Amino acid sequence: MNGNAHIKAVYAEIRRRNQGEVEFHQAAAEVLDSLGPALDRHPEYAGTGILERLCEPERQLIFRVPWVDDSGTVRVNRGFRVEFNSALGPYKGGLRFHPSVNLGIVKFLGFEQIFKNALTGMGIGGGKGGSDFDPKGRSDAEIMRFCQSFMTELYRHLGEHTDVPAGDIGVGAREIGYLFGQYKRITNRYESGVLTGKPVAWGGSHVRTEATGYGAVYFAEAMLATRGDGFHGRRVVVSGSGNVAVYAVEKVHALGGRVVACSDSSGYVVDEDGIDLGLLKDVKEVRGARISVYAEAKPSARFSARGTVYDVPCDVALPCATQNELGREDAVALVKNGVIAVAEGANMPCTPDAMAVFQEAGVLFGPGKAANAGGVATSALEMRQNAARDSWTFEETEARLASVMREVHAECRATAEAYGGNPEDYVLGANAAGFLRVARAMTAQGVV
Ligand code: NDP
C-alpha cells in the first residue's frame, strides 16, 4: 500500500473491520493507493474523516429471499443492498444475481460505483446489490417469483430520490420488469425512475442496453486518439459474451476494428473472419446457449475450453466478463503479443498484478470506473427522461453518451496530469477525480 500514514491506517482499519471481504479490500486498496497526491494538495480532507466515512457504507442491508420453485420446493437465497454514499445524489448501482455474490463482492462493486458515478458528473450516489440466486436453468415463472420476493423486502429502501437500482450480471430487462411490477404493486405508485434498464416501451431509455459496451469502446477510442490511433484495422479481443461484451463487439465493428475472440465461463472462441455479431446475438441472447455453439455454426471459428481470450494476439483487449478474470500471466501474454490498449468493460477484471504489467509496458489502460461508466451514465439519462416524462431518440441519447465518455476521458487525463504528472495514468486520474468530487460534497454537507 502506497500513500501517507493516514492512508495506510485507513486501509488497515478496512481489513480489520471487514474480514474475509477480499474483493472489497482489493477495490479499496486500488483507490487509496492513488489518493496520496490529492490528499497532500487538499489537507482539509484529512481532518474531517472523509476517507474513513467514504470507506464505511451509509447503510448495508442483508435479507432473506424465500421463494418456491416449480416443483413446489421452498428455496432460500440471500439478498443484499449496500447504500454506500449519497453525497452526490440518490444511491445508484445495479443488482447482480449470481451464485458467487456475497457481501464483500457487493461492497467492492458499491465502492467502485461511488467514484464512477461521480466521474459522470450526473448527480448520482453509489450503491450496489444482488443475491446469490443462480438464474441459470430457472424457468421464467421461477425468475418472476424470485424477483417478486426480492422486491417484497427491498422496496422499502428504494425510491426515485433515495435509491435507484439497475441490472448487472444475471439481471436484464426481464428481471427489471418483474422487480418494477412488484414495486408498483406494493407501493401503488407508478414511479418510473425507481429502476433503470427498463424496456423502451414503458419508460426505458434508448441506448441503455448498448451503453456500457459502447461506452467502453468510446473510452478506448479516446485513449487511442491521444496517440494518433484508432480502432480502424485493429485486432480486438473481448472477454465475456453478455450484455457489455456483445455491444462492445458491435461498436468495435462499427468503428472499423475486428473482434477476433470472445468467451463465456465455459471457454472462448476465435474467429479470424471477425466475430459474426448476428450469430453471437442469436447464440447468447436468443438461444441462451454456450459459446461453443457459435463455433459449431461457423466453419472459420474454433472453440477452446482451456486458456483465455488473452492468449489470442491483439492490438486492443476489452475485458467485459467479471472481476479478476485477467491476471498477471494474461497481461504478460498480451504485452508480449503487442497489445497497445486495454479498457475495462467489466468491474475490476484486471488483478493489481496485471495492471502493474500494463503500466510498466506503457500500455494505455482504462480502469473500469472510467471506461464502463457509460452504463450508469445512460441510466442517469433514463432517470432524466422519466422525471420529465420524456423520451429521446436513439441518436440523441447516443450522442449524449458519447459526449459523457469524452468528458470522463478528458477529466481522467487532466486530473492524472495535475496530480501525478503523467496524463496516461488513467487509474490515478479516475480515482482522484472521482474522489475530489465526492469529498467536496461531503465536506460541504458536514459530518453525516
Ligand atoms: P452478463 O451476465 O450479461 O454477462 C456476463 C458474461 O461474462 C457472460 O458471458 C458470462 O458467461 C461471462 N463470464 C462470467 N465469468 C466469466 C469468466 N470467469 N470467464 C469468462 N467469461 C465469464 O453481465 P454484464 O455483461 O452485464 O456484466 C459484465 C461485467 O460488466 C460485470 O463485471 C458487471 O459488473 C460490469 N458492468 C455491467 C454494466 C451493465 O450495464 N450491464 C455496467 C457497468 C459494469 P456465462 O454466461 O458462462 O456465465
Side-chain angles (χ1 to χ4, degrees), residues 13 105 131 139 179 215 218 230 306 349 360 399 418 443:
E13 192 62 2
I105 287 182
S131 173
S139 71
L179 291 163
Y218 284 137
R306 285 161 174 258
E360 236 164 72
T443 305

Side-chain angles (χ1 to χ4, degrees), residues 96 116 136 168-170 208 212 240-244 263-265 290 320-322 345-347 372:
R96 177 178 291 190
K116 181 189 313 192
K136 278 206 182 80
D168 191 80
I169 292 176
R208 178 60 191 90
T212 310
S241 49
N243 172 259
V244 180
S263 62
D264 66 14
S265 59
R290 304 280 73 200
C320 296
T322 194
N347 286 311
N372 72 37

Side-chain angles (χ1 to χ4, degrees), residues 94 96-98 108-109 113 116 128 136 166-172 208-213 239-246 262-268 284 288-291 307-310 319-325 344-349 368 371-376 379:
R96 177 178 291 190
F97 292 170
H98 193 272
F108 118 63
L109 291 163
Q113 202 83 45
K116 181 189 313 192
K128 198 82 187 188
K136 278 206 182 80
D168 191 80
I169 292 176
V171 178
R208 178 60 191 90
T209 305
E210 297 84 356
T212 310
S239 69
S241 49
N243 172 259
V244 180
V246 163
C262 64
S263 62
D264 66 14
S265 59
S266 70
Y268 71 99
K284 300 308 291 190
R290 304 280 73 200
I291 197 76
T308 74
V309 287
Y310 309 116
C320 296
T322 194
Q323 65 271 4
N324 292 328
E325 50 147 312
E344 294 185 323
N347 286 311
M348 210 167 74
N372 72 37
V376 77
S379 275

Side-chain angles (χ1 to χ4, degrees), residues 172-188:
R174 174 181 60 166
E175 290 73 20
I176 293 293
Y178 293 145
L179 291 163
F180 185 84
Q182 186 73 348
Y183 182 86
K184 178 167 68 72
R185 186 174 191 200
I186 295 175
T187 61
N188 194 30

